[in-house]
Amino acid sequence: MTSAAGPAGAPQELDLDEQIAAYQREFPEVDPQVEKVVTALGRLNRRMNVAYGRQLVDLGISNSEWEVLKALVVVGRPYQLGPGDLAKRLGLTPAAMTHRIDRMVTEGLVTRERDESNRVRVIVELTDEGREKWLQTMRLAAAFEDELLQDLTPVERAALGEILTRLLRRVESDQPDAGGRLEDLD
């Protein structure tokens, strides 16, 4: 049995082909090509999330803070959103968003101010420090991603991107309410 290397004493993961063979042994109707694709995608996703998580720890921010930084950068300058808009974009309750913003204000990553044109409205804005933290994270992620895809030619990268985008569109079309939050399944 070939196993993926892991830390000493940790359970070892089966080689991808061995795992598919075990599935076929127990469930002969399984399509080995489909299982290989989805199992590889699942494993890759898990390992990428671990790598990104380690990078965030090294930079002193949490994944939840990273999500807020991304949401603010994506809207463009002046990198502002209301707390309710942020909560909707991230699939959070207003209370959870308030707690997250409180932490980030304390850390200097965002500011929270009343909108001068509408004193009832609150604006969350990315600070220079928050934007720099986003840039640092993007630099680390880009280096990791370049290394991840180093064995693929530009043509293969483009083809893989197109294929994965097509799969993503199918899932988004079939499950428009499944924005990636597992809490929805509880």
Side-chain angles (χ1 to χ4, degrees):
M1 173 168 79
T2 310
S3 297
Q12 303 247 316
E13 195 169 49
L14 286 177
D15 173 79
L16 191 59
D17 290 327
E18 290 175 327
Q19 183 171 340
I20 304 309
Y23 288 169
Q24 286 182 290
R25 180 188 71 232
E26 299 298 323
F27 182 58
E29 302 89 77
V30 72
D31 182 331
Q33 290 177 322
V34 170
E35 283 307 312
K36 190 165 195 170
V37 169
V38 296
T39 302
L41 285 172
R43 286 184 182 190
L44 183 59
N45 180 56
R46 186 176 67 235
R47 285 170 173 75
M48 289 174 65
N49 284 335
V50 168
Y52 292 137
R54 288 178 179 151
Q55 290 174 346
L56 293 175
V57 167
D58 290 345
L59 292 172
I61 63 172
S62 69
N63 189 59
S64 59
E65 291 167 333
W66 168 241
E67 288 181 359
V68 173
L69 296 178
K70 283 192 301 188
L72 290 169
V73 167
V74 166
V75 298
R77 291 188 190 278
Y79 310 121
Q80 298 176 341
L81 282 172
D85 291 333
L86 272 170
K88 284 179 190 166
R89 288 170 189 253
L90 301 178
L92 298 173
T93 65
M97 191 73 249
T98 298
H99 178 69
R100 194 173 289 189
I101 292 168
D102 288 346
R103 271 193 337 258
M104 294 180 75
V105 166
T106 300
E107 294 169 5
L109 300 173
V110 299
T111 59
R112 177 180 35 211
E113 304 289 335
R114 291 262 174 228
D115 184 344
E116 290 302 319
S117 63
N118 178 355
R119 299 292 297 161
V120 175
R121 187 168 184 253
V122 173
I123 299 290
V124 178
E125 183 173 352
L126 189 66
T127 63
D128 290 342
E129 184 178 342
R131 185 157 189 328
E132 181 56 34
K133 196 66 79 168
W134 178 82
L135 284 169
Q136 290 173 345
T137 305
M138 289 299 293
R139 286 182 194 111
L140 288 175
F144 167 73
E145 292 156 0
D146 281 344
E147 183 179 327
L148 175 69
L149 298 175
Q150 69 183 339
D151 296 332
L152 300 181
T153 67
V155 171
E156 289 171 325
R157 288 179 183 199
L160 179 61
E162 289 300 317
I163 291 167
L164 292 174
T165 299
R166 202 164 63 216
L167 292 174
L168 180 60
R169 285 187 184 133
R170 164 71 63 169
V171 171
E172 288 172 341
S173 173
D174 290 349
Q175 300 178 18
D177 62 338
R181 301 253 171 233
L182 293 178
E183 296 85 47
D184 296 342
L185 302 176
D186 289 338

